[in-house]
Amino acid sequence: METLLLSRIQFGANISFHILFPTITIALSWVLLFFKLRFSATGDMRWMDAYRFWVKVFALSFAMGVVSGITMSFQFGTNWPGFMETVGNIAGPLLAYEVLTAFFLEAVFLGIMLFGFSRVPGWLHTLATFLVAFGTLMSAFWILVLNSWMHTPAGFEMRDGVAHATDWFAIIFNPSMPYRLLHMLLASGLTVAFLIAGFSAFRWLIGDRSDEVRLTLKTGIVLAAVLIPAQIFAGDLHGLNTLEHQPQKVAAMEANWETGPNVPLVLFALPDQEARENRFEIAIPNGASIVLKHDPDGVVPGLNDFVAEDGTLLHPPVAPVFWSFRVMVGVGVLMLLMSWAGAYLLWRRGTDGMNPWLLRGFVAMSFSGWLATLAGWYTTEIGRQPWLVQGVMKTADAVADVPAPMVMGTLVAYLVVYAVLIAAYVGVLFYLARKAASGQMPEPMTPQSGDAPVRLVPAE
Amino acid sequence: MMTLFGDPAVWLPIVFASLMGLSILIYVVLDGYDLGVGVLFPFADDDEKDRMIASIGPFWDANETWLVLAIGLLLVAFPVAHGVILTALYLPVAVMLIGLILRGVSFEFRAKAPAPRKRLWNNAFFAGSLMTSVAQGYMLGLYIMGLEWAPATIAFALLTALFLTVGYSFIGATWLILKTGDDLQKKAVRWARRGLLGAVGGIAAVSVASPLVSPRIFEKWFAMPEFLLLAPLPVMSLLLIGALWMMLRHLPHEHDHWSWVPYLTAMGLFALAFAGLAYSFYPYVVPEYLTIYEAAAAPESLFIILAGTVFVLPTIVGYTVLAYVIFRGKATELRYD
């Protein structure tokens, strides 16, 4: 294989592995702050137990996110030097602000949050928890600003082939940023909601009837039930925004070849890019026009509009975008059904009246947020191809001139490490849940104030 | 406002090169100690390993962030150099990254995985720390050799890889002298004594090799009056090495007196060595090929980063100090469940 494709696979693998963990930590940090605040307000140990279990998951996820994030920052240079050479004047400050305002804040206060519980006053520990949550949010903000700018660049001008910033406000609040940020934050919330619901259900099923499990099961299901309609709404807005700025991506998502009115909503098809048609298509008449234009006669863009005179494709590969989009939507629908069924049962019958099969369903969906998030990112990022920065530079123009075998070698090494780590991560989460369910957690810690010489207690 | 200090195309690259240099130096003396603790792992027993981890647990993540800042500054301030340097160092960078991944996650896994797996994650922590140290030393050597891959330069890079690894174990040992007591502290003193030899060897090798490789660097050091003006650098280094050697023969003292001095002195030694390197390579960011002025990003973009940095960096230093104050004292006991 050639260097370009291998480099793309390598970056795709790294960023896919990386995003799994921030997706958890962005929202879990706020859930932890919620647990901590409830404990501070009520003194009820259930909240502290919940905090102590989930802070372990947080610590582990955070470490995975940090180390895979460092990898990303180096790969800009090792594999994609053209990116920074062309748009470094815009990407650079955004990344710098992420490091300065987010990374250090997270890293320093994480130490206090995890290890400082018995070393600092309660309020300072709560403050550290807040600052970690705030730091992860800032990190998400800056990186999504940059990512959105790559989709909908604004506030710059090209001079001698290099982008120069002209309006920082326009760069930061570029057209797709608010939608993408909201969509991603809600995705993080849903991922965590299903993770908490799934592991609480798991503990319940293996016999854990503690107050803590009742509390977290309810927290997870209610959070999911509240967030999923918001996410569907936000996703629709984001899709309409994409239709406006990147119509070729939406055309690929819908596998629609010809521009026109009364475009059907394709439910199933095997898009054939060679023949430029769909095979085995099952579709709802006028569906896409209704979804995208809210009118059966609405004109929807087609892929054939995005082919240059000389036959060069200016639209993304159709099948991956079409299918990732369907996986994301499918998981979303499943999330809606599960969380509302769960919430209904909780409301009618309480935790003890939960149907065991529904609980098993939640266990099965513990990591469904990962699937939906990845599918969503594949939709939008593959959907941006062949552009690296929409309309400004192509992916092929940024790649490093590194021998293909070298890229291949390191790719294999990364994949092996990532596979082992994901297996270990999931394994350890279930191990922690089993251990918590069998009541082998250490005796509850009580907050102390002052700096009395206390042991260094890790949040392992 | 940008012209306040003269031509922004002149002063901004200098400011950013200084900031980047400062980040690298802070990274080396901070992450250096926790990498060093990892490199020393096989020499400790299980109980000592727990205490060694306890001594770095609250700090390692923030320490590593200085590397992200340094590489980020290279990326944002000198985008062209960033591409040239990192593509030339493709393999060692990959080794370092995998090492950083392994050791970073091992902190958490060794504490959370089932007990029988702990040994495995201890090994991963050691392997990751070793890979990172070796790769960084190798990159340093190759950088000094002008980023050329030839048998002689690779041999030199392997040498600096060895020396930097031992150097990290040295600064790691001095950290353990500060943060531990009893037998582990005595052990750490022995480790530090041995490690000091490696650190001295590394500084000597680089000091001899870089003027030999580059006539330009030779000229910068051995012309008059530069030679005399620069004399304090090697002289102070020798004094610090001598002081360390004497100190390490007598530590630990009763009531733990002076236990903080070796780490501080080690920091001083690393800073002096770094200052020497920085002087040698200025104004180049890619040795003999690309100066900081040629590689710098647009002044407007640099200025907007600088504006933020001026406010944020003191804040970062402030809460870093807070963390070190909160976790001051000996890391005596660590509890696992």
Side-chain angles (χ1 to χ4, degrees):
Chain A
M1 275 193 282
E2 54 183 334
T3 302
L4 173 61
L5 186 60
L6 284 168
S7 292
R8 282 185 62 199
I9 295 174
Q10 186 171 107
F11 200 79
N14 285 323
I15 204 162
S16 299
F17 177 74
H18 174 67
I19 195 61
L20 300 179
F21 304 102
T23 304
I24 289 178
T25 52
I26 291 166
L28 187 52
S29 58
W30 292 98
V31 173
L32 285 171
L33 180 65
F34 170 70
F35 287 161
K36 184 74 208 286
L37 286 174
R38 292 305 299 152
F39 171 72
S40 300
T42 63
D44 189 338
M45 275 320 282
R46 291 183 302 169
W47 295 107
M48 206 56 221
D49 290 339
Y51 182 92
R52 285 175 51 246
F53 178 81
W54 286 100
V55 82
K56 292 175 193 191
V57 177
F58 181 81
L60 188 58
S61 314
F62 197 91
M64 300 278 271
V66 167
V67 295
S68 53
I70 294 177
T71 312
M72 317 272 328
S73 68
F74 275 88
Q75 286 201 335
F76 284 129
T78 53
N79 293 53
W80 306 101
F83 178 68
M84 290 309 285
E85 281 163 23
T86 308
V87 299
N89 288 327
I90 283 127
L94 299 179
L95 288 169
Y97 271 89
E98 184 184 13
V99 177
L100 288 170
T101 62
F103 288 173
F104 279 104
L105 197 68
E106 295 172 285
V108 172
F109 285 99
L110 180 76
I112 299 174
M113 177 181 167
L114 297 183
F115 302 100
F117 190 80
S118 46
R119 285 211 164 205
V120 299
W123 65 266
L124 183 51
H125 185 259
T126 306
L127 179 68
T129 309
F130 165 74
L131 287 173
V132 169
F134 181 72
T136 51
L137 185 66
M138 287 308 287
S139 176
F141 172 78
W142 288 113
I143 207 68
L144 281 161
V145 165
L146 174 55
N147 179 271
S148 300
W149 187 85
M150 290 161 67
H151 287 268
T152 52
F156 71 106
E157 64 182 20
M158 296 301 286
R159 272 184 254 149
D160 304 324
V162 173
H164 286 259
T166 54
D167 179 355
W168 280 102
F169 189 85
I171 290 171
I172 293 174
F173 296 94
N174 64 75
S176 65
M177 190 280 281
Y179 303 97
R180 197 181 311 275
L181 180 65
L182 182 65
H183 199 41
M184 181 59 203
L185 292 181
L186 287 169
S188 174
L190 281 165
T191 303
V192 167
F194 274 90
L195 189 73
I196 293 179
F199 275 85
S200 305
F202 176 73
R203 284 171 63 175
W204 183 272
L205 287 169
I206 59 174
D208 189 344
R209 293 292 180 272
S210 62
D211 291 342
E212 176 210 342
V213 161
R214 291 169 197 274
L215 188 72
T216 53
L217 183 65
K218 205 163 123 187
T219 307
I221 293 176
V222 170
L223 187 61
V226 170
L227 290 184
I228 188 71
Q231 178 68 313
I232 292 170
F233 181 64
D236 182 52
L237 289 180
H238 188 28
L240 295 178
N241 179 266
T242 307
L243 178 66
E244 190 182 332
H245 296 279
Q246 295 173 300
Q248 75 281 19
K249 187 194 290 181
V250 174
M253 281 154 67
E254 303 295 350
N256 179 42
W257 300 93
E258 285 299 337
T259 303
N262 309 97
V263 173
L265 182 67
V266 181
L267 296 179
F268 179 92
L270 297 179
D272 184 341
Q273 205 160 289
E274 295 293 309
R276 304 198 72 75
E277 62 177 29
N278 294 333
R279 288 190 279 143
F280 309 108
E281 180 177 298
I282 302 170
I284 303 171
N286 298 337
S289 289
I290 293 171
V291 169
L292 292 167
K293 295 288 179 181
H294 300 184
D295 171 12
D297 294 323
V299 175
V300 171
L303 290 159
N304 290 341
D305 285 5
F306 301 93
V307 181
E309 299 268 318
D310 61 359
T312 316
L313 296 185
L314 295 175
H315 65 72
V318 182
V321 177
F322 175 82
W323 280 110
S324 328
F325 181 63
R326 264 142 200 79
V327 169
M328 178 188 77
V329 171
V331 175
V333 171
L334 210 55
M335 284 177 159
L336 179 69
L337 296 176
M338 285 293 289
S339 62
W340 282 21
Y344 178 79
L345 277 183
L346 271 182
W347 173 51
R348 301 297 296 190
R349 297 197 237 151
T351 330
D352 290 283
M354 290 296 277
N355 180 316
W357 281 104
L358 191 69
L359 289 177
R360 283 182 197 115
F362 275 112
V363 175
M365 286 188 70
S366 297
F367 294 99
S368 56
W370 278 3
L371 185 61
T373 304
L374 281 183
W377 276 110
Y378 292 159
T379 306
T380 196
E381 297 300 301
I382 300 174
R384 192 190 54 216
Q385 304 303 324
W387 299 102
L388 180 55
V389 178
Q390 176 78 38
V392 176
M393 76 179 305
K394 289 196 174 163
T395 310
D397 298 332
V399 74
D401 184 23
V402 178
M406 200 133 89
V407 185
M408 180 65 128
T410 50
L411 171 62
V412 170
Y414 283 123
L415 288 179
V416 170
V417 171
Y418 290 159
V420 170
L421 290 184
I422 287 185
Y425 176 84
V426 174
V428 164
L429 252 53
F430 278 103
Y431 170 75
L432 287 176
R434 272 203 198 87
K435 205 163 68 161
S438 61
Q440 283 177 14
M441 288 306 201
E443 74 279 10
M445 302 180 287
T446 42
Q448 299 174 10
S449 57
D451 57 0
V454 207
R455 289 171 299 178
L456 188 59
V457 181
E460 79 284 19
Chain B
M1 184 150 158
M2 270 170 58
T3 51
L4 206 59
F5 306 99
D7 184 2
V10 173
W11 68 269
L12 273 171
I14 298 182
V15 166
F16 272 86
S18 313
L19 280 175
M20 189 172 78
L22 188 67
S23 311
I24 295 176
L25 177 61
I26 295 178
Y27 170 75
V28 167
V29 297
L30 291 184
D31 209 33
Y33 76 69
D34 67 63
L35 282 166
V37 167
V39 170
L40 291 168
F41 233 43
F43 305 109
D45 63 37
D46 282 350
D47 171 57
E48 289 167 347
K49 284 184 175 122
D50 286 350
R51 276 195 286 158
M52 286 160 79
I53 287 284
S55 79
I56 55 179
F59 308 114
W60 73 271
D61 187 357
N63 294 348
E64 228 162 66
T65 309
W66 290 98
L67 177 66
V68 181
L69 181 64
I71 202 68
L73 284 172
L74 177 64
L75 179 112
V76 303
F78 310 106
V80 184
H82 176 256
V84 173
I85 294 174
L86 288 185
T87 40
L89 298 175
Y90 194 88
L91 274 187
V93 165
V95 171
M96 176 185 78
L97 291 175
I98 290 177
L100 283 174
I101 293 173
L102 280 181
R103 70 187 298 273
V105 299
S106 300
F107 271 99
E108 295 297 330
F109 277 124
R110 71 184 288 285
K112 295 183 177 61
R117 298 266 170 79
K118 191 169 161 184
R119 181 179 297 267
L120 185 79
W121 290 111
N122 279 342
N123 291 339
F125 179 65
F126 164 68
S129 304
L130 187 67
M131 282 165 76
T132 308
S133 309
V134 167
Q136 286 178 359
Y138 186 88
M139 288 190 269
L140 173 68
L142 216 57
Y143 182 83
I144 290 170
M145 291 287 140
L147 296 174
E148 292 222 21
W149 289 75
T153 60
I154 291 175
F156 179 76
L158 289 173
L159 197 68
T160 49
L162 177 73
F163 280 133
L164 189 71
T165 308
V166 181
Y168 278 165
S169 81
F170 162 66
I171 200 167
T174 61
W175 175 256
L176 290 174
I177 295 173
L178 167 63
K179 296 298 278 188
T180 65
D182 308 327
D183 287 349
L184 181 55
Q185 192 184 31
K186 292 199 185 96
K187 254 188 174 173
V189 172
R190 283 202 298 278
W191 292 334
R193 252 181 257 158
R194 269 181 267 161
L196 179 59
L197 294 177
V200 172
I203 295 171
V206 172
S207 306
V208 172
S210 36
L212 287 182
V213 173
S214 158
R216 187 185 58 79
I217 293 177
F218 186 90
E219 200 53 25
K220 281 184 88 170
W221 281 87
F222 296 101
M224 288 293 172
E226 282 85 351
F227 183 72
L228 291 179
L229 292 174
L230 291 166
L233 272 181
V235 171
M236 276 165 65
S237 303
L238 285 174
L239 284 177
L240 285 185
I241 292 167
L244 268 168
W245 185 248
M246 295 296 288
M247 220 166 358
L248 290 173
R249 284 176 58 187
H250 298 294
L251 279 172
H253 287 293
E254 237 176 290
H255 307 302
D256 206 43
H257 285 312
W258 305 108
S259 68
W260 52 275
V261 182
Y263 177 64
L264 236 57
T265 317
M267 274 170 80
L269 193 58
F270 273 79
L272 287 173
F274 188 83
L277 268 182
Y279 173 75
S280 293
F281 285 103
Y282 176 82
Y284 286 95
V285 59
V286 181
E288 319 296 334
Y289 174 68
L290 202 61
T291 67
I292 54 174
Y293 307 105
E294 294 159 351
E300 298 80 24
S301 292
L302 290 181
F303 195 74
I304 199 157
I305 303 173
L306 188 62
T309 313
V310 168
F311 291 102
V312 178
L313 211 54
T315 318
I316 292 173
V317 171
Y319 55 64
T320 306
V321 170
L322 174 72
Y324 278 85
V325 169
I326 289 173
F327 296 105
R328 69 186 176 279
K330 303 287 182 188
T332 43
E333 196 182 325
L334 191 66
R335 193 180 61 184
Y336 293 104
D337 52 345

